[in-house]
Amino acid sequence: MKNFGYLLKEGIKNIWKSRTMSLASIAVLMSCLLMTGAAVLFSWNIKSAMSLVEGNNSIKVYIKQDVPSLKALQIGDQIRKLDNVASCEFISKDDGMKDMRKMVGEQNAGLLDGLEGDNNWLPNSFRISMKDLSKYKETAAKITAIDGVDKIYDYQQLADKLTHIDRIVTNVGFVLVIALSLVSLFIIANTIHVAMYSHRLEISIMKSVGATNGFIRVPYLVEGMVTGLAAGAIAAGLLHLIYYRVVDSMGIRALFNVINLNAIMTPVVLIMMLAGALFGALGGIISIERYLKKEGGAIVGW
């Protein structure tokens, strides 16, 4: 236990002695973990939005701007008479503006002030659900052919776009994380290698009095793991801060239930710190084995 305390203390001292390189290691590894966490959260939120969209068996039908509300209601009656239409809900321009306010959130609702009444540019619309989605194209064509209908908005198109965005973010994120991981390992390994080289006389003395390679490895493994733990803790904190700032600024809480990071923050912190410690340990092992193989057996004169 006494030896372990000594080795732990030596590892932490190494971080302070090579603090510039240690800070660089923490910064790069933290960036890697932060990007990984951000990509995972983004993907989870995209999947949450997709499940909401895919579960919404409906399309939005927009009426032309120059069609008065009474005529729009008559168009609704025509739509309801179609065989495959299960429900047809009228959404007036005013109701559309209320939905828009909910969508942008209270923080950004001021941007819509003055756009009510005659200044409301939103069209009247209908939210329609179908009995049989296999007849979607046929039904959509019949609705579009009704005089006064401007266009229809298919939620499946939104789901396809979300899938495409998720795929791009996943692929780009994967490449960046791999690149940053390699850079992190390189910097951590070099930081520890520099620390070992600066302690070569001490290591040589330890070897000459019979210290094992395992005993020599521990302080540098501790250095790598503590560096990784610090990077993981900082990355988790920044992820929490940035996530809620982005969510609040974009006003997307009104669109779908975003992932509640507060509820999973404890496992997120633990996972990031564990991942950082593993990265740090791996970087340390690479450096230590390289040093011991090439220079660890040499006896430095003094």
Side-chain angles (χ1 to χ4, degrees):
M1 182 59 74
K2 186 177 179 180
N3 283 341
F4 179 76
Y6 165 78
L7 295 172
L8 182 64
K9 185 178 176 182
E10 287 299 306
I12 295 174
K13 281 171 63 178
N14 287 343
I15 295 176
W16 176 250
K17 287 177 181 175
S18 55
R19 48 189 175 276
T20 302
M21 289 293 287
S22 295
L23 285 174
S25 302
I26 291 173
V28 176
L29 185 53
M30 179 204 68
S31 300
C32 175
L33 293 171
L34 183 60
M35 290 197 63
T36 304
V40 170
L41 277 178
F42 183 86
S43 181
W44 284 356
N45 276 304
I46 287 289
K47 286 177 172 56
S48 174
M50 286 170 60
S51 64
L52 178 67
V53 170
E54 290 170 349
N56 189 354
N57 177 22
S58 64
I59 61 174
K60 199 82 174 283
V61 177
Y62 293 99
I63 306 302
K64 291 179 179 176
Q65 287 279 6
D66 57 352
V67 174
S69 295
L70 182 59
K71 174 64 176 175
L73 291 172
Q74 293 173 349
I75 292 173
D77 291 336
Q78 291 180 262
I79 294 174
R80 290 185 186 92
K81 291 178 181 177
L82 297 176
D83 293 337
N84 195 34
V85 173
S87 66
C88 178
E89 177 190 0
F90 177 64
I91 303 172
S92 67
K93 299 169 67 166
D94 293 339
D95 289 339
M97 182 56 68
K98 291 177 183 175
D99 291 342
M100 181 72 75
R101 283 185 172 275
K102 291 180 183 176
M103 185 181 300
V104 299
E106 293 182 2
Q107 292 179 331
N108 301 314
L111 297 172
L112 301 175
D113 289 346
L115 297 178
E116 296 86 1
D118 294 338
N119 294 325
N120 187 345
W121 83 98
L122 295 175
N124 292 311
S125 62
F126 292 93
R127 183 180 292 113
I128 297 172
S129 62
M130 297 185 187
K131 298 174 184 175
D132 186 357
L133 277 179
S134 65
K135 299 178 181 177
Y136 168 80
K137 289 185 177 179
E138 176 186 341
T139 307
K142 290 180 179 177
I143 294 173
T144 306
I146 296 174
D147 184 35
V149 171
D150 185 14
K151 60 183 177 181
I152 65 173
Y153 189 86
D154 180 4
Y155 286 98
Q156 185 59 44
Q157 294 176 3
L158 177 59
D160 293 341
K161 289 179 182 177
L162 290 174
T163 303
H164 182 64
I165 293 172
D166 183 41
R167 192 177 299 120
I168 291 175
V169 170
T170 301
N171 292 337
V172 173
F174 179 76
V175 172
L176 287 176
V177 167
I178 292 295
L180 283 174
S181 298
L182 293 176
V183 173
S184 301
L185 285 176
F186 176 78
I187 292 180
I188 291 173
N190 275 284
T191 301
I192 294 175
H193 185 80
V194 170
M196 294 191 77
Y197 189 77
S198 66
H199 291 84
R200 62 189 186 283
L201 177 58
E202 184 180 341
I203 293 173
S204 178
I205 294 172
M206 293 166 67
K207 292 280 291 184
S208 65
V209 296
T212 64
N213 284 341
F215 187 84
I216 294 171
R217 286 187 186 103
V218 174
Y220 302 100
L221 278 177
V222 169
E223 180 181 352
M225 292 179 72
V226 171
T227 299
L229 287 170
I234 296 172
L238 286 176
L239 181 66
H240 183 275
L241 180 67
I242 295 172
Y243 177 71
Y244 280 109
R245 283 186 179 276
V246 171
V247 166
D248 291 337
S249 64
M250 295 181 68
I252 57 177
R253 289 178 193 266
L255 299 178
F256 61 94
N257 293 325
V258 297
I259 300 299
N260 184 2
L261 184 57
N262 285 327
I264 56 173
M265 197 58 200
T266 300
V268 167
V269 172
L270 293 176
I271 289 171
M272 282 198 162
M273 291 182 69
L274 179 61
L278 289 175
F279 259 93
L282 183 59
I285 290 170
I286 293 171
S287 178
I288 294 164
E289 296 306 318
R290 188 175 59 186
Y291 179 87
L292 292 177
K293 185 176 181 180
K294 291 184 177 179
E295 304 170 66
I299 302 297
V300 178
W302 64 87

